[in-house]
Amino acid sequence: AQSVSQHNHHVILSEAASLELGCNYSYGGTVNLFWYVQYPGQHLQLLLKYFSGDPLVKGIKGFEAEFIKSKFSFNLRKPSVQWSDTAEYFCAVNAHNQGGKLIFGQGTELSVKP
Amino acid sequence: GAGVSQSPSNKVTEKGKDVELRCDPISGHTALYWYRQSLGQGLEFLIYFQGNSAPDKSGLPSDRFSAERTGGSVSTLTIQRTQQEDSAVYLCASSSQAGPGGYGYTFGSGTRLTVV
């Protein structure tokens, strides 16, 4: 069965620090990859997605993620975080033989200190 | 509607009672998903409906859980004989395409279920 691992459970950064959140998945076939964000008190929303083509994808609010197929990874990055980036971040994988079903990681809570 | 609507937003129930959670997806979205979000556990897939196809029930944790989707639109998740471990936020999402493309979901705000 497919699985998604987010190794960082809680990350604490100061404003302007660089961010990288790890995401690894286990599935040997073709996948679509997603990052979702949940701000405090809000519902989950899509941050960015990868389907094909350029493995470096850019999302909203200055976030980007790089798909490295050989490492089964899809790490999320941001060069300079802001206090408003405080949220929980979820990586998700859609395997092409699973219809539209997404398998989510356990989430990484990001706290940015002003 | 403009978004995915879930009701109730909060539900407190006594152990052993049955509960029904409702999801109203975005109009025209053919796929509908239920997930459970527990503290520190991420999002756990429960069930997935796509059009008129048989639902993917592979994530339902026990036979106390069931869901239906009427008329290809509104869905109800039913939990029978609730247990304390059922306490969680139940999230519904819908998407306009659910084939191998999987364009990403629009989530509702969830129903927070507390079993006392």
Side-chain angles (χ1 to χ4, degrees):
Chain A
Q2 297 88 24
S3 66
V4 180
S5 297
Q6 292 181 243
H7 305 293
N8 310 107
H9 297 296
H10 191 188
V11 173
I12 302 172
L13 295 173
S14 298
E15 277 194 314
S18 64
L19 170 72
E20 181 160 3
L21 301 182
C23 173
N24 287 89
Y25 64 94
S26 64
Y27 180 67
T30 304
V31 294
N32 298 322
L33 298 158
F34 304 79
W35 276 96
Y36 281 82
V37 60
Q38 188 170 31
Y39 297 103
Q42 298 186 26
H43 60 272
L44 278 153
Q45 54 188 285
L46 183 65
L47 197 55
L48 50 78
K49 59 191 177 187
Y50 171 80
F51 290 150
S52 63
D54 188 345
L56 183 63
V57 293
K58 296 189 183 299
I60 60 172
K61 303 185 180 183
F63 285 91
E64 64 180 31
E66 184 175 14
F67 171 47
I68 303 179
K69 189 174 181 179
S70 61
K71 295 185 177 180
F72 299 91
S73 71
F74 189 56
N75 292 355
L76 181 71
R77 300 195 293 249
K78 185 171 184 179
S80 175
V81 295
Q82 300 173 320
W83 176 80
S84 58
D85 294 324
T86 295
E88 190 156 17
Y89 293 81
F90 294 91
C91 180
V93 171
N94 164 234
H96 278 203
N97 68 348
Q98 292 287 305
K101 183 168 74 178
L102 290 183
I103 303 301
F104 284 84
Q106 292 188 324
T108 296
E109 183 180 352
L110 172 65
S111 299
V112 180
K113 296 181 177 179
Chain B
V4 177
S5 177
Q6 290 188 246
S7 61
S9 55
N10 280 284
K11 176 72 175 178
V12 180
T13 190
E14 292 180 352
K15 178 181 172 181
K17 297 284 179 108
D18 298 351
V19 294
E20 286 189 350
L21 313 180
R22 176 188 169 104
C23 173
D24 200 342
I26 291 175
S27 178
H29 277 193
T30 57
L32 185 148
Y33 312 82
W34 284 98
Y35 285 81
R36 179 167 70 176
Q37 185 177 19
S38 306
L39 193 62
Q41 299 297 315
L43 276 78
E44 175 188 5
F45 168 76
L46 296 178
I47 187 169
Y48 148 46
F49 297 89
Q50 167 55 31
N52 295 321
S53 302
D56 177 347
K57 304 179 182 179
S58 60
L60 295 178
S62 77
D63 59 7
R64 296 187 295 105
F65 287 73
S66 63
E68 63 177 22
R69 188 180 185 191
T70 54
S73 180
V74 172
S75 177
T76 303
L77 177 69
T78 301
I79 309 173
Q80 296 178 311
R81 305 181 302 283
T82 52
Q83 304 295 312
Q84 288 185 329
E85 61 262 29
D86 299 334
S87 296
V89 176
Y90 289 82
L91 293 169
C92 177
S94 68
S95 69
S96 58
Q97 181 166 329
Y103 288 120
Y105 302 167
T106 300
F107 278 91
S109 298
T111 294
R112 182 176 298 278
L113 176 66
T114 304
V115 182
V116 297

